[in-house]
Amino acid sequence: MHVPWRTALAVVFLSGVVFLLLTVSRVREQIVNGMPNGLKHATATGIGFFIAFIGLRNAKLVVANPATFVGLGSFSDKEVQTACLGIALTIILMARKVNGGILIGIFGTTLVGILRGITPLPTSIVALPHPSSTFLQLDFRAAFHLGFLEILFAFLFVDLFDNVGTLVGVCEQGGFIQDGKIPRVGRALIADGVGTLFGSLTGTSTVTSYIESVAGVAAGARTGLSNVAVAGLFLIATFCSPLAAAIPSYATAPALILVGALMTQSIAQIEWSEFSEAVPAFITMLATPLTFSIATGLSMGMIAYTVVKIAVGKLREITVLIWILTALFILRYVYLAVA
């Protein structure tokens, strides 16, 4: 179903309101902390595979293939060659523990692309933003007339569980998880809800936790000060859009690939010798990149977790929250099948 962007912004705004209500009532916090530890580690690893896959696609190292779905890109393509040089440069910088290695790799790859004539120079450095075209352009009337509940549910499901999976993955990479729980996770979730709310008012896509944040964590970001610095840089970037737009996707691909590799270290913490832990973890890791959705990978892993635990007779390990989430996930797939 095609949804006009003004209608979508209205739905996102209402989703943000629901997010805040779920956060204040601690429902979202219970979901994050109630996930089995094996699925937490698997989600972090799956996200690592996911962003590495995105990086490979942006570098055109992985391309669509009608026979095998995906295939190897052509090394005669200058963008592929430049991306490979960028990967090699970033690997060397990270291996040598050079501060800002990822950023240097991005700028270095962009410079090589400019010198090879495949990336144009920015037409200018500064440009004034024009927020009036999207600011407060929400169409609530159309949202309520265009299958509102159906669209809201779709937004809620994807955003809620994408956010849960991303938050777990980023915190796993940062080493913040203690005894299977994320300390002060409620604050992070409130920030996410507020971001969703105000992002819709400004006319942007959903403002939530992003898997690209792992690049900052991998570079050493551990406190809220780094977030404030990034926010300030984003504010400056609104006035430097031509300069930001000049950085091609193949230049950021090496960062995504290598940060994805760093995230897979969580795979070592999964109990592979325990069948009822290994199978759900494997399904989560596999489904996340192949379906191109963190929420789908998490939901499939949760369903598999419940089924396998029932099969081996470990019903006590299935909490009330897991039963509820499993039922909701199954209902969603049933709904998608008959819709």
Side-chain angles (χ1 to χ4, degrees):
M1 178 187 296
H2 174 71
V3 181
W5 66 270
R6 288 185 175 87
T7 307
L9 289 177
V11 177
V12 171
F13 176 84
L14 294 170
S15 297
V17 173
V18 177
F19 283 159
L20 285 176
L21 292 175
L22 291 176
T23 303
V24 172
S25 60
R26 300 188 64 186
V27 172
R28 296 178 74 195
E29 182 176 346
Q30 294 297 324
I31 292 174
V32 173
N33 288 330
M35 283 176 58
N37 288 337
L39 288 187
K40 283 189 174 77
H41 302 316
T43 299
T45 303
I47 292 174
F49 290 147
F50 185 22
I51 62 175
F53 181 66
I54 294 173
L56 290 168
R57 189 189 67 164
N58 290 349
K60 295 185 180 180
L61 281 166
V62 171
V63 295
N65 186 303
T68 59
F69 293 105
V70 292
L72 183 65
S74 173
F75 285 94
S76 62
D77 189 323
K78 289 185 178 181
E79 289 190 10
V80 175
Q81 297 169 5
T82 307
C84 289
L85 289 173
I87 292 171
L89 172 63
T90 309
I91 287 175
I92 293 171
L93 293 172
M94 292 179 68
R96 300 293 298 177
K97 301 185 184 303
V98 176
N99 290 332
I102 293 176
L103 197 60
I104 295 172
I106 292 173
F107 288 145
T109 307
T110 301
L111 180 60
V112 171
I114 291 173
L115 294 176
R116 299 192 70 188
I118 56 176
T119 298
L121 287 168
T123 54
S124 61
I125 296 177
V126 178
L128 291 177
H130 300 282
S132 59
S133 59
T134 57
F135 185 65
L136 298 179
Q137 296 294 315
L138 296 79
D139 190 348
F140 289 101
R141 179 177 298 178
F144 283 104
H145 284 84
L146 191 64
F148 169 69
L149 291 178
E150 177 184 346
I151 300 172
L152 180 62
F153 177 77
F155 268 82
L156 271 174
F157 182 89
V158 175
D159 198 15
L160 173 61
F161 291 102
D162 266 4
N163 174 251
V164 168
T166 301
L167 192 60
V168 168
V170 173
C171 290
E172 181 78 33
Q173 175 66 28
F176 299 138
I177 297 180
Q178 300 174 4
D179 300 322
K181 296 184 178 181
I182 303 174
R184 300 183 299 279
V185 68
R187 299 181 184 181
L189 293 171
I190 287 177
D192 170 74
V194 172
T196 301
L197 201 66
F198 284 94
S200 63
L201 295 176
T202 60
T204 69
S205 56
T206 309
V207 178
T208 181
S209 304
Y210 286 93
I211 53 178
E212 289 83 357
S213 299
V214 180
V217 174
R222 290 294 186 278
T223 69
L225 183 60
S226 62
N227 299 334
V228 174
V230 169
L233 292 173
F234 267 117
L235 182 61
I236 295 172
T238 60
F239 297 92
C240 304
S241 54
L243 190 61
I247 299 176
S249 58
Y250 65 79
T252 57
L256 294 176
I257 295 169
L258 296 176
V259 170
L262 293 177
M263 289 194 69
T264 58
Q265 62 186 344
S266 299
I267 200 171
Q269 301 183 53
I270 298 171
E271 297 181 52
W272 292 108
S273 58
E274 174 57 52
F275 185 80
S276 63
E277 294 288 334
V279 171
F282 174 75
I283 290 175
T284 301
M285 291 186 295
L286 188 65
T288 298
L290 293 186
T291 63
F292 226 73
S293 170
I294 298 170
T296 301
L298 178 58
S299 63
M300 287 186 174
M302 188 70 75
I303 293 172
Y305 180 89
T306 304
V307 170
V308 177
K309 290 296 182 181
I310 293 173
V312 298
K314 295 185 177 181
L315 295 178
R316 293 183 178 180
E317 295 185 19
I318 306 176
T319 64
V320 174
L321 177 64
I322 293 175
W323 280 116
I324 294 173
L325 289 177
T326 301
L328 289 174
F329 290 145
I330 292 174
L331 288 174
R332 174 179 181 263
Y333 288 117
V334 171
Y335 171 78
L336 291 176
V338 299

